[in-house]
Amino acid sequence: MSADIVVLDYGVGNVHSALRAVERAGAAAELTADLSRAAAADGLLVPGVGAFGAVMDALESAGAVEVIRTRHRQQRPMLGICVGMQVLYTSGTEHGLTTAGIGLWEGNVTRLDAPVLPHMGWNTVSAAPGSQMFAGIADERFYFVHTYAATEAPADAAVTTCTLDRPFIAAVEDGTTWATQFHPEKSGHAGTTLLANWIQALSAAQK
């Protein structure tokens, strides 16, 4: 049985790029703003670009925050991308303003400590040992576009890092909640393989 995958359309994020990327990875996907579909799907992909506060405002306006919390609590698979990962933390601070996040993981998303920002382009990561997400692609490069990031590892999660002047969180596997700071939909073969790994994990969860 193929997995039922939806990309959440809440007015922010490269939703069409994410949709096409899932399809390139070998699965059908639906773009939807319907919260009942987002709650019921086998897999929910939450993209996000721009400012932490704007993404949180959009998620709250769409009524999607509680859907995400409930799916995480019930261990129903999700994948957050870029700011869609950042908002899973407790809070984010940008331009001196701190905004509450969804709060799945403790920590504050802050400005990267690096000489050149934004961090834009291809970079390698240090994949978590035994990572499902990075199976077959642990030595590949991924495409980043961001100025802010988390530096605190969620408890009991498999955490992948990337290093500029200092390490930051590049990806998290917390049970069935996965998230990436980089953009798999812009990361060529490596990104497609990562999404295929997610789809395979969804299919395994159905059995």
Side-chain angles (χ1 to χ4, degrees):
M1 183 190 306
S2 61
D4 175 28
I5 298 173
V6 300
V7 176
L8 183 63
D9 184 5
Y10 61 101
V12 175
N14 345 339
V15 290
H16 294 289
S17 295
L19 184 69
R20 290 192 296 269
V22 171
E23 292 169 348
R24 284 197 302 273
E30 175 187 346
L31 179 63
T32 186
D34 183 339
L35 296 182
S36 62
R37 284 288 293 120
D42 296 323
L44 174 64
L45 192 154
V46 183
V49 296
F52 187 107
V55 169
M56 278 305 302
D57 284 347
L59 286 168
E60 288 169 348
S61 294
V65 170
E66 195 51 42
V67 170
I68 292 169
R69 286 181 178 144
T70 300
R71 286 190 68 102
H72 179 72
R73 185 171 62 249
Q74 295 176 347
Q75 284 294 284
R76 296 184 54 76
M78 291 186 291
L79 175 62
I81 293 176
C82 196
V83 187
M85 168 181 160
Q86 294 178 6
V87 294
L88 300 181
Y89 277 85
T90 307
S91 59
T93 299
E94 298 183 356
H95 308 295
L97 176 66
T98 298
T99 303
I102 294 173
L104 306 189
W105 305 323
E106 291 293 328
N108 187 38
V109 174
T110 56
R111 187 178 176 89
L112 286 163
D113 185 3
V116 177
L117 292 173
H119 172 215
M120 182 183 301
W122 297 85
N123 213 331
T124 56
V125 301
S126 298
S131 168
Q132 280 187 278
M133 186 187 299
F134 291 93
I137 50 171
D139 297 324
E140 300 282 351
R141 297 188 306 158
F142 297 88
Y143 192 82
F144 291 83
V145 184
H146 63 122
T147 299
Y148 298 85
T151 57
E152 296 172 70
D156 302 319
V159 175
T160 291
T161 60
C162 181
T163 300
L164 294 178
D165 277 18
R166 297 183 182 180
F168 63 88
I169 307 301
V172 173
E173 294 164 72
D174 181 10
T176 60
T177 299
W178 291 13
T180 66
Q181 177 59 68
F182 55 82
H183 288 271
E185 77 280 12
K186 297 181 180 180
S187 295
H189 168 74
T192 299
T193 302
L194 186 150
L195 291 169
N197 289 344
W198 183 57
I199 292 163
Q200 184 177 15
L202 295 181
S203 299
Q206 291 180 285
K207 295 177 182 178

